[in-house]
Amino acid sequence: MTNWEARKFVWQGAIPLQIHLHESEVTTVPSPPPALILAPRLGYLPLLASQIKPHFSSTLPPGVDTIWFEYRGLPLKWYIPTGVLFDLLCAEPERPWNLTVHFRGYPGSILLPCEGEDSIKWNFINSLKEAAYIINGNCKNVMNMSQADQVELWRSVLNGNLEVFVRVSSKLKLGIVSDEYTATSNLLSLGPGQSVEETDHAGQDKAGRVPIRLYVWSVSEDVEDLEDAPPIDSWDKVAYINQPVDCQEGKCSTLHDAVRSLLPEYFPENSLVDEESSREKGEEGETQTLVEDASMAKAVDEILCQPTKSCNKSDDNVEIRLIRIQGIEPKPEIPFSWVANSLMNPDYFLHICVCLKVPRLKIQ
């Protein structure tokens, strides 16, 4: 499958939802039936409010509406894309995905405040800035976007319009890694007048660093079927890793290599650990010359992502039980360059969900 074909499938991806109103907010008899909605994988749950609220408005108690969702009692973080939440929380995909919606009692101690679409757009643009900083060492092109381009880019995400997204995002000059495995266009670096299916490798500066958001949960070695694994009922059980993977000069040639490089505490024998240390030293030099951008990226990560507590290192062997990206479970030996080019989200981050099999669960 070519990069372009894969990107089209990613942008067309959707999850069937069956949404129930929480019983504490039901004021009529009988209770309203659940709402059935097809949610875009690349979207965010609060953006579904305009479809959900009319369905339940006649039964809501008095008060101010602030929509939030939960799954099996776990409040869902609104700034994580819907598809990533599904991949992470449903070890065995559940279709339709049964969620509970609330319009009252927002859990501010667990979730960041969300002021509707404006908050989600702010989250998206700042993630884009962070990705640009990782890829190019600065985010000036994103910060200098015209208001019209910013609106059009955001609308292309809301409407699932890949062609418009490619046309507008090409102005950001966010190069992607070279992919010798696929003779297709560099989708996110098209110049004026080029079609999305043109092949144009001449003069393109390929970035060697891929922005990654890695979500890791663990199951014990006695769990044979992931369907039997205990559900994730607290965000403390998910380790969140937000750092790039260096793909220059043949580093991280496969998806398996990339994931292992992000988990050195579990795979200390990985030869990429020393390379990671060198990369961090290089980042320190960049930070000294780009203080403003670095401060922005740090603020975005701290404010928006709220990394969860991570898993303790295991003294015994650990295996990668599952890797899931965009709802698929790619083979570990798949070229990482193809994954990076084909399966990234519109914020230019590659969101990867990983399940580890560990002899003893050590979550703090």
Side-chain angles (χ1 to χ4, degrees):
M1 180 182 292
T2 65
N3 292 137
W4 176 246
E5 291 171 334
R7 293 286 282 173
K8 287 176 65 177
F9 276 116
V10 166
W11 277 68
Q12 294 168 0
I15 301 169
L17 304 181
Q18 183 166 261
I19 301 175
H20 306 261
L21 181 64
H22 192 269
E23 59 183 11
S24 67
E25 300 179 28
V26 175
T27 63
T28 59
V29 178
S31 299
L36 301 176
I37 292 177
L38 199 59
R41 274 191 151 270
L42 300 182
Y44 302 85
L45 287 174
L47 294 176
L48 302 175
S50 62
Q51 301 177 60
I52 297 173
K53 185 182 175 182
H55 186 82
F56 296 116
S57 60
S58 62
T59 190
L60 291 175
V64 178
D65 295 333
T66 304
I67 193 170
W68 59 283
F69 298 80
E70 68 172 70
Y71 176 60
R72 295 184 175 181
L74 177 68
L76 301 182
K77 296 186 175 183
W78 58 265
Y79 48 84
I80 297 179
T82 302
V84 178
L85 288 171
F86 182 68
D87 293 345
L88 175 65
L89 300 176
C90 295
E92 289 295 327
E94 175 184 314
R95 295 184 179 89
W97 191 21
N98 283 276
L99 300 181
T100 300
V101 66
H102 296 256
F103 292 89
R104 306 287 184 267
Y106 193 83
S109 61
I110 300 176
L111 303 180
L112 290 173
C114 180
E115 304 297 332
E117 184 180 330
D118 286 344
S119 292
I120 300 167
K121 178 184 175 182
W122 181 82
N123 166 70
F124 170 77
I125 294 298
N126 279 282
S127 290
L128 196 60
K129 291 177 183 177
E130 187 179 357
Y133 179 79
I134 290 170
I135 295 170
N136 291 337
N138 68 79
C139 57
K140 298 186 184 301
N141 287 344
V142 179
M143 296 180 71
N144 293 334
M145 286 181 70
S146 68
Q147 184 64 27
D149 281 347
Q150 189 177 119
V151 169
E152 190 172 18
L153 186 70
W154 174 239
R155 287 298 167 189
S156 72
V157 175
L158 289 181
N159 299 327
N161 193 323
L162 176 58
E163 288 80 3
V164 173
F165 176 83
V166 168
R167 176 174 55 79
V168 179
S169 65
S170 67
K171 301 176 184 180
L172 302 178
K173 302 186 186 302
L174 296 178
I176 51 181
V177 296
S178 297
D179 183 4
E180 65 273 26
Y181 304 96
T182 308
T184 57
S185 61
N186 182 342
L187 296 180
L188 304 180
S189 302
L190 295 176
Q194 291 180 288
S195 69
V196 292
E197 296 188 84
E198 284 182 33
T199 300
D200 180 12
H201 297 291
Q204 295 287 349
D205 293 327
K206 307 295 184 180
R209 299 168 65 199
V210 179
I212 302 289
R213 299 202 196 282
L214 189 72
Y215 310 82
V216 185
W217 81 100
S218 303
V219 297
S220 60
E221 59 185 350
D222 57 353
V223 175
E224 295 296 332
D225 193 327
L226 288 181
E227 190 174 24
D228 300 325
I232 298 173
D233 55 9
S234 168
W235 286 107
D236 289 338
K237 294 184 179 180
V238 179
Y240 172 81
I241 297 172
N242 181 43
Q243 71 181 55
V245 165
D246 193 343
C247 291
Q248 291 178 326
E249 299 177 357
K251 301 174 185 177
C252 295
S253 60
T254 69
L255 175 60
H256 188 258
D257 293 337
V259 171
R260 286 169 63 95
S261 74
L262 294 169
L263 298 168
E265 67 272 29
Y266 286 112
F267 306 102
E269 76 282 2
N270 195 311
S271 61
L272 295 173
V273 172
D274 291 338
E275 296 171 357
E276 180 68 19
S277 176
S278 299
R279 180 191 60 74
E280 290 176 353
K281 291 180 181 179
E283 285 184 354
E284 292 175 1
E286 291 177 346
T287 303
Q288 293 176 359
T289 58
L290 295 163
V291 175
E292 179 181 350
D293 290 338
S295 299
M296 181 282 305
K298 181 180 179 182
V300 169
D301 190 34
E302 291 179 350
I303 295 173
L304 293 177
C305 301
Q306 287 191 330
T308 56
K309 297 178 182 178
S310 50
C311 303
N312 285 339
K313 176 181 175 181
S314 173
D315 296 327
D316 301 296
N317 290 331
V318 174
E319 295 181 15
I320 298 176
R321 179 70 180 271
L322 174 72
I323 300 176
R324 187 176 287 160
I325 309 172
Q326 300 292 4
I328 65 174
E329 298 172 16
K331 294 181 179 180
E333 62 270 19
I334 191 171
F336 184 65
S337 57
W338 185 91
V339 174
N341 289 334
S342 304
L343 303 182
M344 71 173 64
N345 274 55
D347 61 2
Y348 279 74
F349 273 88
L350 185 64
H351 295 255
I352 307 176
C353 296
V354 174
C355 178
L356 299 179
K357 184 177 74 172
V358 297
R360 293 180 300 275
L361 288 183
K362 297 183 178 181
I363 306 293
Q364 65 176 15

